[in-house]
Amino acid sequence: MNKNTLRPLFLLPLLFSFNLRSVSALNLNDFPSVDFITSPSPGSQPLTNGSDFIRSSCKCTDEPDLCYASLEPYSRSVNRDLAKLSIAAIGVSLEKVKTMVSYLANLSRDADHKSDPRMLQDLRLCLRLIGGANGAVDEIQKSMKQMRDLGSAGSSKERLRFLLFDVQMSITGASIDHSTCIDNFDDVDGPLKEDVIARIAYVRKYLRIALGLVDCYSDKVTS
C-alpha cells in the first residue's frame, strides 16, 4: 500500500521519461493466461444452488449485479467455495486490466496523439502505472498467487489474517494505480480523456468486486 500511495510523489520524474521505445517493449504475451479455474464449457448450465451462492456472495461487493454477471458462468467450478470465487474474481479483473494495458499501448503508438505532448505524456504514465514493472498487472498477479498459497498457510487465524491482508493490499495497490492514472489527466481535455477515464472507471469496478469478495472471505475465516 505504501509504495503505491508514494508513487505519485517521487516517481513522476522517472515516469515522465517513459518513452515510446519502452511502450513497444511491453509484451502483452508475457502476461500469463488466466488459468485460475476451469472455464465453463459452451452451453453448460450452472447449478442453481451454485448460482444462488454467487448471487449471495456478490452482496459483499459494491457492484452486486456486475459481480454476479461476471462470475455466474463459473458457478460449477467454484463449487460454493468463497476462496475459489475470490480467485475467480481476481482473474476476471486481471483480464480487464490486461485489456486496458493493450488499449493504452495502442493509443501511445498512435501518431494522432503525438501532436499533443501532454496527452502523450499522460498516456505513457498511465501505461507505466498499469502495465509496467510493479504496476497494476503485477499487483493483481501477486494477489492471485497469494490466494492460491493460502492452502499451505495452516489453520492459524492470525496467519490467514496476515496473508489475506497482503492480498487486500495488492488489489488496493492496483486500484490506486488506476486512480493515479485518472488524476494525471487533469491537465488535458477532450473526448480521448473522457474515454480513457470511462474505461479506467469500468476496470476499477472489477477490482472492487475482487476486493469485496476477498474482504468477505477474510471475515469468514478469521473472525
Side-chain angles (χ1 to χ4, degrees), residues 54-71 205 209:
I54 292 178
R55 188 178 297 279
S56 176
S57 299
C58 282
K59 293 178 181 179
C60 293
T61 75
D62 295 332
E63 302 283 346
D65 293 336
L66 182 61
C67 172
Y68 178 77
S70 62
L71 297 176
K205 289 182 179 182
I209 288 170

Side-chain angles (χ1 to χ4, degrees), residues 29 66 82 88 90-91 94 105 114 138 150 169 186 195 215 219:
N29 293 327
L66 182 61
L82 190 52
I90 294 171
L94 176 61
K114 293 180 181 179
D138 285 352
L150 289 179
M169 289 301 97
D186 286 345
D195 187 56
D215 288 346
D219 291 342

